[in-house]
Amino acid sequence: MSTLEEICSGLPVEPLPENGGRNPGLPHAPTRTPHLTAAEERLALRNALRYFPPCHHATLATEFAQELRQHGHIYMYRFCPPMRIKAYPIHQYPCRTPQAAAIMLMIMNNLDPAVAQFPQELVTYGGNGQVFSNWAQFRLVMHYLSVMTEEQTLVLYSGHPMGLFPSLPSSPRAIITNGMVIPNYSSREQYEKMFALGVSMYGQMTAGSYCYIGPQGIVHGTMLTLLNAGRRYLGSGDLRGRVLVTSGLGGMSGAQAKAAVIAGCIGVVAEVDEAPIRKRHEQGWLMEMSSSLDHCIQRIREARAAKLPLSLGYHGNIVDLWERLVLEYQRTGELLVDLGSDQTSLHNPFSGGYYPVQLSFRQANQLMASSPGQFRTAVEESLKRHVAAIDTLAEAGMFFWDYGNAFLLEAQRAGAKVAKEEGSGGATEFRYPSYVQHIMGDIFSLGFGPFRWVCTSCDPKDLEVTDQIAAAVLEEIAVGVSEGVRQQYHDNIRWIREAGKHQMVVGSMARILYSDQKGRVCIALAINKAIADGRVSAPVVISRDHHDVSGTDSPFRETSNVYDGSAFCADMAVQNFVGDAFRGATWVSLHNGGGVGWGEVMNGGFGLVLDGSEEAAKRASLMLNWDVSNGVARRCWSGNSNAYETMERSMEAETQLRVTMPYAVEDQRVLDQALDQALD
C-alpha cells in the first residue's frame, strides 16, 4: 500500500511497480474505437513511452500496445496507485505551499471511486470526462505540486504537465487547458484519434478542472430546475404527487433521484447499467430500484395517490419506459407523467453515452467495439423511437425539456422530427425547449449560478459551520432584494438550511448553492473571516460549476437563450478564463467541450483558496465580481431585460464598473422600411 509521500515522489521507475491491470471490482469505461492506422499506433506508443527512460521501453511498449488494442487508449494501469484515492485532509499532503495541497486534494477527490464514474480510466463523469489521459500524468502532476513554490505555476496541456514555470505569488498556481484544437479539426472522429495518441483530452467541465464535488454538484441545480419547471408548466412549485420521468444515474445524472425527492415529487429514472443504479441505492440517493416495468407503473400510481416523494430507479432502457407509459395512456387514458427530460450522455452517443433500446447492455458494449457502424445505426433508430414516445405523451399534456445533454441535437441528426416549424425558430431552437431557454436562463441573467466550496480539513464540523454562515449571509441580503430576485434567495436559503439532513456529501466535504454576484462575494468573505477567527479549522476552496453565468459558451445549453446571433461565439468563456487568472484565482482552466460535447462548447472554471488572509479576501472580492459581471454584461448586450436590470444595479454598487449598455429598437417597422428602401 503506497502513501501520499510515495505518490508525490514522481514516476516510480526504479524499479517499475507491479502491473495490477484493471480492477475487476470497479466499473470500467467502454472500449474506445479510434481507428488508428498502423503508423498512428506506432505514434501512440512512441508518445506514451516518452514519459519513461529507454531501459523500460521494451517492457512497457508490450503492455501499452495491448492496452491500445484492447481498450482503444493507453491508460498505463501499471502506474495506478494501490492506495485508496480520495480527498485527504490538506495537512497530510507533502507540499511547500497550501495552495498546491488544495489542488492535490481536489484532484484526488475527482478520482475517488465513490465519486468517479470510471476511476481506473481517470474518468470522473459523463462517460469520457477525463481528469488526466493516463496515470503517468497523474503521478507527475502530484510530484510537481508537492515541490512547487509560490513563485511557480504548473502548466497543463490536456492532462500533460508541461512543467513548472517561474511566475509571481499573485499568479495562478496552475493553468489548465483541455482540448484546445484548431476549430476546423474539432470533430468527434479526430478527437478519438487525438485522445488515443495522447495529445488531447476531453475534460468535460469540472473533471479536467479538478472541481467536481460528486453528484451533489448537480443536485441543487436539478432541484431548482424542477421547482421552476413546476412554476412555469404546472402553475405551482408544489410538486407533491407530480411525476418526473428521466434517465441516467451515473455521474452528473446521478443527482436526479435525490433532487426529485428534495423537490417533493416522484422521480422515475431509467438506467441501463446495473453498477451506477446499485451505487446510488447504496449511497442512499435512490430510494427504490426495480427491473420490472409492471412494478414501476404500480409504484407510480401508488405514490401519485399518496402524494409522497419517491425516487425509483428502473434498471432498463429509458425508451422501454417511455413506450410503456404511452401504452398505459392508450389503454386507460391516464397520463402517468407530468414532467419529462433526459440525462443520457448524448455528447458521446456512439462510445457509451447512449445505449440503444434494441440491444442489452452487454450486447451494446460488444457491438460498440466490434462494429461501430452498426452500433451507430442502432443508436439513431433508438433515438427516433425515443422521440416518438415523448411526442405522444407531450401531446397528451406532459411537459418535456432538453437538459443540455445534446438529446434533441443528436435526435435531429438521427432523423427525428424535433425541429421547430420552419421559420419559427433559430439554429439553437427545437420543438421542445432546453431547460436554459425556458427555466434557468433568466436565473443566469439575474447573475445566479452554481457557487460551491470545499472544506479542506475534511471535517464535517467545518462544513456545518460554512452552511450556517452561508444561510445567515443569504437571509441578510434577501431582506433588501427585489421581488423578482427574492424567490431565488428563498429557494437557496431553504436548500442550505436543509442541506445537512439530506446527506449529500459524496467524497470531499463540499457544498453548493445558487447565488448571485453579491451573495457569492459576501459568502466568500464571511468564510474567509471564519478561517481567520478559527471557527473553520483549515483553508476552504471556493469554485463553481462551469455551467454558470459566465463560464460557458454553449449554443445548445448555457447560451441557448442568447438571440442576437452570438450564441455560437466563445468570447465570453475565454475572457472569463483570462480575467479570473489575473484577478486572483489559484488555478484556472479552459476546455473545448463539456455538457453538449466536443466541438460544441467552450467553457472554463477556477479554484480559489481562502486561507483567512487579507490577500485572500481581496482576491475573492475582485475575482468573483468579475466572474459574474462578465456573463451578465454579455447577456445584457444580447438584449436580455433581466440582465439589463442586473447590470444597472451592479454599476450603481460599483463605481469603477462601466458596461456598454444596448439601446433597444422600439419600432420594429424601422427595420423593414430601411431594408425596403435599400432595395430601391
Side-chain angles (χ1 to χ4, degrees):
M1 182 65 71
S2 58
T3 63
L4 288 173
E5 286 75 15
E6 290 170 352
I7 286 177
C8 293
S9 64
L11 265 174
V13 294
E14 297 299 340
L16 290 173
E18 290 186 13
N19 185 3
R22 303 218 307 181
N23 182 345
L26 293 174
H28 291 282
T31 299
R32 309 190 74 93
T33 53
H35 302 296
L36 300 182
T37 65
E40 288 167 339
E41 286 186 323
R42 289 172 59 85
L43 181 57
L45 283 176
R46 186 183 305 124
N47 287 347
L49 290 172
R50 59 186 164 176
Y51 286 104
F52 306 95
C55 61
H56 296 303
H57 284 184
T59 299
L60 295 176
T62 301
E63 65 189 57
F64 289 171
Q66 183 69 23
E67 288 185 21
L68 184 62
R69 290 276 177 87
Q70 189 172 351
H71 308 301
H73 188 73
I74 300 171
Y75 295 106
M76 306 186 187
Y77 292 113
R78 178 190 289 268
F79 298 96
C80 178
M83 76 176 292
R84 167 68 190 276
I85 296 183
K86 66 173 187 175
Y88 290 91
I90 191 170
H91 68 271
Q92 294 185 20
Y93 291 93
C95 65
R96 300 171 70 179
T97 166
Q99 292 184 348
I103 300 173
M104 287 192 272
L105 180 152
M106 300 290 279
I107 289 172
M108 292 190 73
N109 185 67
N110 272 25
L111 293 170
D112 181 345
V115 173
Q117 186 178 11
F118 304 125
Q120 278 202 295
E121 287 74 45
L122 302 107
V123 172
T124 300
Y125 70 92
N128 60 349
Q130 303 284 149
V131 185
F132 300 107
S133 181
N134 59 58
W135 286 102
Q137 294 174 350
F138 166 80
R139 296 265 193 171
L140 286 172
V141 167
M142 294 296 283
H143 174 65
Y144 280 132
L145 290 170
S146 71
V147 300
M148 166 191 288
T149 72
E150 292 191 357
E151 294 184 337
Q152 291 174 304
T153 292
L154 176 61
V155 176
L156 293 111
Y157 288 16
S158 289
H160 170 68
M162 194 58 67
L164 293 172
F165 292 82
S167 61
L168 299 171
S170 59
S171 303
R173 298 281 69 81
I175 300 283
I176 304 161
T177 52
N178 286 308
M180 294 293 106
V181 173
I182 304 303
N184 281 352
Y185 302 88
S186 191
S187 69
R188 281 187 185 135
E189 293 73 21
Q190 287 162 319
Y191 167 71
E192 290 295 339
K193 282 184 179 286
M194 286 185 280
F195 182 59
L197 293 174
V199 297
S200 195
M201 189 182 86
Y202 183 67
Q204 260 285 1
M205 290 190 165
T206 53
S209 68
Y210 321 145
C211 295
Y212 191 64
I213 60 169
Q216 179 194 174
I218 197 67
V219 169
H220 183 41
T222 306
M223 184 203 75
L224 289 178
T225 299
L226 293 176
L227 291 176
N228 285 294
R231 291 167 186 146
R232 181 181 181 109
Y233 299 133
L234 306 175
S236 172
D238 183 355
L239 298 180
R240 287 175 294 179
R242 299 292 195 169
V243 179
L244 164 75
V245 171
T246 182
S247 59
L249 284 167
M252 298 291 278
S253 59
Q256 296 183 103
K258 175 72 83 171
V261 171
I262 295 173
C265 70
I266 300 149
V268 185
V269 190
E271 171 61 60
V272 293
D273 186 355
E274 186 176 12
I277 202 169
R278 289 199 176 279
K279 182 177 182 178
R280 297 303 173 215
H281 187 255
E282 290 166 2
Q283 290 173 338
W285 285 58
L286 183 67
M287 294 166 65
E288 299 178 17
M289 57 183 183
S290 175
S291 58
S292 166
L293 283 171
D294 288 341
H295 180 71
C296 289
I297 296 300
Q298 177 187 339
R299 290 296 292 126
I300 289 172
R301 286 195 166 104
E302 291 170 350
R304 285 181 80 208
K307 293 191 174 182
L308 292 175
L310 172 68
S311 57
L312 172 61
Y314 167 57
H315 180 209
N317 197 288
I318 181 60
V319 180
D320 285 328
L321 178 57
W322 281 123
E323 290 180 342
R324 177 57 184 272
L325 289 164
V326 169
L327 183 61
E328 291 296 320
Y329 174 68
Q330 291 172 337
R331 282 176 176 171
T332 67
E334 185 180 14
L335 183 63
L336 294 175
V337 53
D338 301 285
L339 301 171
S341 192
D342 187 89
Q343 283 199 35
T344 47
S345 295
L346 271 160
H347 66 276
N348 183 35
F350 310 119
S351 298
Y354 184 89
Y355 283 81
V357 66
Q358 309 94 307
L359 303 169
S360 70
F361 183 64
R362 184 176 181 181
Q363 289 171 334
N365 280 322
Q366 290 172 342
L367 189 64
M368 195 188 308
S370 65
S371 184
Q374 289 183 39
F375 182 78
R376 184 186 188 109
T377 299
V379 166
E380 291 170 347
E381 290 302 315
S382 183
L383 280 168
K384 286 187 274 192
R385 282 176 58 180
H386 198 152
V387 169
I390 288 168
D391 286 345
T392 300
L393 295 167
E395 288 168 7
M398 177 193 74
F399 295 93
F400 183 88
W401 66 88
D402 183 296
Y403 217 117
N405 61 329
F407 172 69
L408 293 176
L409 181 63
E410 290 303 328
Q412 183 181 56
R413 289 169 175 168
K417 296 179 180 179
V418 295
K420 269 194 168 184
E421 292 181 11
E422 189 173 349
S424 65
T428 64
E429 295 182 90
F430 297 96
R431 183 191 309 170
Y432 302 106
S434 83
Y435 76 118
V436 172
Q437 288 169 327
H438 264 204
I439 304 169
M440 298 298 283
D442 282 346
I443 294 174
F444 281 171
S445 298
L446 292 169
F448 283 84
F451 179 60
R452 56 181 61 171
W453 61 91
V454 176
C455 297
T456 66
S457 64
C458 299
D459 186 345
K461 294 179 181 177
D462 279 346
L463 185 59
E464 184 179 351
V465 171
T466 59
D467 283 349
Q468 293 168 355
I469 289 170
V473 167
L474 294 183
E475 286 171 347
E476 182 177 347
I477 297 174
V479 174
V481 299
S482 65
E483 187 61 36
V485 174
R486 188 170 296 120
Q487 180 66 65
Q488 301 308 319
Y489 267 91
H490 287 168
D491 284 347
N492 282 280
I493 291 167
R494 168 189 164 187
W495 161 266
I496 199 69
R497 287 294 187 199
E498 297 178 356
K501 77 176 186 181
H502 290 299
Q503 299 178 334
M504 286 177 296
V505 169
V506 177
S508 59
M509 286 294 149
R511 187 67 74 222
I512 185 171
L513 55 76
Y514 268 55
S515 183
D516 60 0
Q517 181 174 326
K518 184 175 182 179
R520 298 186 206 204
V521 173
C522 291
I523 290 170
L525 295 180
I527 290 176
N528 193 61
K529 186 175 187 303
I531 298 167
D533 295 344
R535 287 178 288 142
V536 174
S537 66
V540 170
V541 173
I542 58 171
S543 183
R544 58 160 169 75
D545 196 346
H546 299 201
H547 166 66
D548 194 17
V549 180
S550 308
T552 298
D553 284 297
S554 179
F556 296 103
R557 195 164 83 170
E558 284 81 357
T559 47
S560 61
N561 67 331
V562 170
Y563 301 116
D564 68 345
S566 71
F568 291 90
C569 300
D571 300 85
M572 179 178 72
V574 176
Q575 287 280 357
N576 224 63
F577 163 80
V578 175
D580 285 353
F582 68 74
R583 286 181 174 86
T586 306
W587 72 95
V588 290
S589 66
L590 184 66
H591 302 181
N592 170 11
V596 180
W598 178 267
E600 306 283 1
V601 186
M602 192 69 73
N603 66 91
F606 73 86
L608 193 156
V609 177
L610 300 175
D611 59 8
S613 66
E614 292 184 8
E615 175 67 18
K618 181 179 178 181
R619 289 179 180 227
S621 180
L622 192 61
M623 197 216 71
L624 290 173
N625 275 304
W626 153 257
D627 194 67
V628 178
S629 285
N630 173 40
V632 176
R634 186 267 178 95
R635 294 166 194 277
C636 168
W637 184 245
S638 77
N640 186 287
S641 59
N642 281 334
Y644 190 100
E645 294 170 6
T646 302
M647 206 70 256
E648 284 187 318
R649 291 194 297 271
S650 295
M651 287 192 289
E652 289 173 5
E654 173 53 74
T655 57
Q656 289 188 301
L657 177 65
R658 296 276 57 54
V659 170
T660 306
M661 304 293 277
Y663 292 99
V665 176
E666 295 177 352
D667 185 354
Q668 299 298 315
R669 293 173 298 178
V670 170
L671 308 178
D672 295 329
Q673 291 169 1
L675 291 169
D676 289 342
Q677 291 171 6
L679 289 174
D680 298 336

